[in-house]
Amino acid sequence: MPAATRTYWLTSPCRIRRKDESLVIERDAAPSVHIPVTDVRDIVACAETDLNTSVVSLLNRHRISVHLLSYYGDYAGSLLTADTSTSGETVLAQAALARDPQASMAIARSIVDACAFNVRRVIDRKLLARPYTVLQESIREATTPLHLMGAEGTFRRSAWEVIDTKLPDWLQLNGRSRRPPKNAGNAFISYVNGIIYARVLTAVRLTPLHSGIAFLHSSMERQRHSLVLDLAEMFKPLFAERLLLRMASRNQLKHHHFDRDTNQAMLSDTGRKLVVQTVRDELAVTVTHRALGRPVAYDELLYLDALALTRHCLEGTLYKPFRIWW
């Protein structure tokens, strides 16, 4: 991703106003913040945000997207710029792969395998060894993306059971629940997954790939970035499950970080700010890339994965989905 720009995270209710070539962030209980638009890569709005057509026009001219998270922390949508990096040649090549059952299934299999590999890596390699072996057998036998997703779901259920053994009672997942999450653990996972989805969408928009043409998730559904769902799978364990386990073990998550009601839960204002700051810090962590031989931030790994898929579409270079190697 471009190093000269950065992501801005809005964690308090605010209004974005335009002043010449700058953005002005106005909040009720804090001074306004002026930001040169050339400093902005994209914006993640984690709280209620107002903006007008003048701001949208400026953002569109500088190809800046705004990602919106809902009250419950789910990904709610994006204001995407009209101008994209999509090229006809890449889209045709991507579509040809997606329409080729053999080529499409090869990519889908590698995505499911890489996702499970990362889940096992961050939760427990020993306890998930057997479920992972079973999943690999199912991946080889699967004939459709639906079969793959069913096998992945079975593996995930095993992973949820293992992760609960490492969490305090009040943070345990007791199975995955969404929209709304039923408990604090699920509220945490949903919120971080929403952030990762938004970050992957930004990464894909920087490549010539079409975000609606996928290999594992269905490309046939309207108003959905199916390819983003594909690519986000491998990165969710690196952030969501891993950070939940780490913050729980360090006793960083408290009861007051969640608002809980009957059969539903969500992050409180303080909890949301804590989680957003933690994910921001984590996205900036660097690791030496084995192929590039230089440090890359976790955030850049998302972009590199999308680029690898682009090369697979255009050049036939084998696509190897992201796997944690450190």
Side-chain angles (χ1 to χ4, degrees):
M1 295 187 186
T5 57
R6 52 181 166 165
T7 298
Y8 280 84
W9 304 75
L10 306 178
T11 57
S12 302
C14 64
R15 174 188 296 274
I16 305 178
R17 194 166 53 80
R18 175 179 177 177
K19 185 176 183 182
D20 300 325
E21 292 299 301
S22 297
L23 299 176
V24 181
I25 311 298
E26 296 178 339
R27 294 165 293 182
D28 290 339
S32 298
V33 177
H34 292 249
I35 304 170
V37 72
T38 52
D39 188 49
V40 183
R41 176 196 302 155
D42 59 355
I43 297 171
V44 180
C46 307
E48 186 175 338
T49 303
D50 293 335
L51 68 170
N52 56 29
T53 53
S54 177
V55 173
V56 172
S57 176
L58 181 64
L59 296 176
N60 188 59
R61 183 145 53 84
H62 289 269
R63 299 186 59 200
I64 298 169
S65 299
V66 181
H67 304 295
L68 309 168
L69 299 183
S70 75
Y71 185 68
Y72 293 103
D74 295 316
Y75 172 78
S78 296
L79 296 175
L80 298 175
T81 58
D83 183 23
T84 72
S85 302
T86 301
S87 79
E89 180 187 13
T90 307
V91 172
L92 287 173
Q94 183 184 354
L97 278 179
R99 292 179 65 85
D100 180 337
Q102 189 173 354
S104 179
M105 276 296 290
I107 297 174
R109 286 191 179 97
S110 64
I111 288 174
V112 171
D113 192 21
C115 173
F117 177 91
N118 292 339
V119 168
R120 183 187 168 208
R121 187 67 179 263
V122 302
I123 295 180
D124 194 307
R125 276 183 277 191
K126 185 177 180 181
L127 292 179
L128 288 175
R130 177 59 185 160
Y132 182 56
T133 301
V134 172
L135 173 67
Q136 288 180 310
E137 293 172 359
S138 299
I139 288 175
R140 284 192 291 271
E141 295 170 358
T143 55
T144 67
L146 202 58
H147 291 159
L148 282 174
M149 295 178 76
E152 183 192 18
T154 301
F155 174 81
R156 282 280 194 177
R157 281 190 286 276
S158 299
W160 301 140
E161 292 175 2
V162 173
I163 200 172
D164 276 351
T165 65
K166 302 172 182 293
L167 294 170
D169 291 347
W170 70 277
L171 268 178
Q172 289 180 2
L173 303 174
N174 297 314
R176 190 74 176 96
S177 59
R178 309 172 178 82
R179 300 179 184 177
K182 291 182 178 178
N183 50 46
N186 273 292
F188 181 96
I189 294 285
S190 290
Y191 202 84
V192 177
N193 283 350
I195 293 175
I196 298 309
Y197 180 90
R199 304 304 309 134
V200 174
L201 178 55
T202 289
V204 169
R205 296 273 294 183
L206 292 172
T207 72
L209 294 169
H210 192 291
S211 63
I213 302 175
F215 303 95
L216 177 61
H217 294 84
S218 174
S219 302
M220 303 305 290
E221 294 188 33
R222 298 172 61 187
Q223 300 179 338
R224 194 167 87 153
H225 302 287
S226 301
L227 182 62
V228 176
L229 293 173
D230 281 5
L231 301 187
E233 290 288 337
M234 290 80 72
F235 293 96
K236 290 175 180 176
L238 175 64
F239 294 95
E241 285 89 345
R242 184 162 160 267
L243 288 181
L244 177 59
L245 287 170
R246 181 198 295 174
M247 295 179 76
S249 67
R250 294 178 180 176
N251 206 25
Q252 290 175 288
L253 290 173
K254 309 291 185 184
H255 288 275
H256 71 268
H257 290 139
F258 299 88
D259 291 333
R260 284 173 288 184
D261 202 345
T262 304
N263 212 30
Q264 68 177 40
M266 61 183 179
L267 286 164
S268 64
D269 287 343
T270 55
R272 186 169 58 245
K273 290 177 182 177
L274 171 66
V275 172
V276 169
Q277 184 60 53
T278 302
V279 175
R280 287 177 61 182
D281 293 344
E282 200 67 11
L283 286 166
V285 170
T286 60
V287 59
T288 301
H289 196 281
R290 292 186 296 186
L292 299 179
R294 64 173 176 82
V296 297
Y298 285 5
D299 199 26
E300 189 177 355
L301 292 174
L302 280 59
Y303 176 59
L304 292 174
D305 196 67
L307 276 185
L309 184 57
T310 305
R311 283 194 292 272
H312 181 66
C313 294
L314 289 176
E315 304 167 7
T317 307
L318 181 62
Y319 171 58
K320 297 179 180 177
F322 165 74
R323 291 184 181 223
I324 300 171
W325 68 81
W326 59 94

